[in-house]
Amino acid sequence: MAEFPHASRVNVTLDLPLDVYRRLEQQARYMSVTVEALLKTILAQQLYESSLRNMD
């Protein structure tokens, strides 16, 4: 959070189908991260890309 002093924490609960969760879990294990960290990375990338599109 130190990198983004203006950011606030947001708690999100995702209700994922079991097969989707298992794929995320497998990918996270391959990358040696937690599922939560993987999801944060995916969501951050999506938000970043959508903010770039909105700048056009």
Side-chain angles (χ1 to χ4, degrees), residues 26-40:
Q26 187 176 19
Q27 181 69 24
R29 204 170 26 251
Y30 173 75
M31 297 171 65
S32 298
V33 296
T34 63
V35 172
E36 182 182 8
L38 178 60
L39 283 171
K40 284 180 183 178

Side-chain angles (χ1 to χ4, degrees), residues 1-47:
M1 286 309 254
E3 299 170 38
F4 305 101
H6 59 282
S8 58
R9 284 186 71 79
V10 176
N11 289 324
V12 177
T13 301
L14 297 176
D15 194 8
L16 299 171
L18 191 54
D19 61 325
V20 172
Y21 183 83
R22 285 198 173 125
R23 271 187 305 213
L24 285 169
E25 197 174 41
Q26 187 176 19
Q27 181 69 24
R29 204 170 26 251
Y30 173 75
M31 297 171 65
S32 298
V33 296
T34 63
V35 172
E36 182 182 8
L38 178 60
L39 283 171
K40 284 180 183 178
T41 303
I42 293 168
L43 291 172
Q45 184 67 36
Q46 292 292 317
L47 288 169

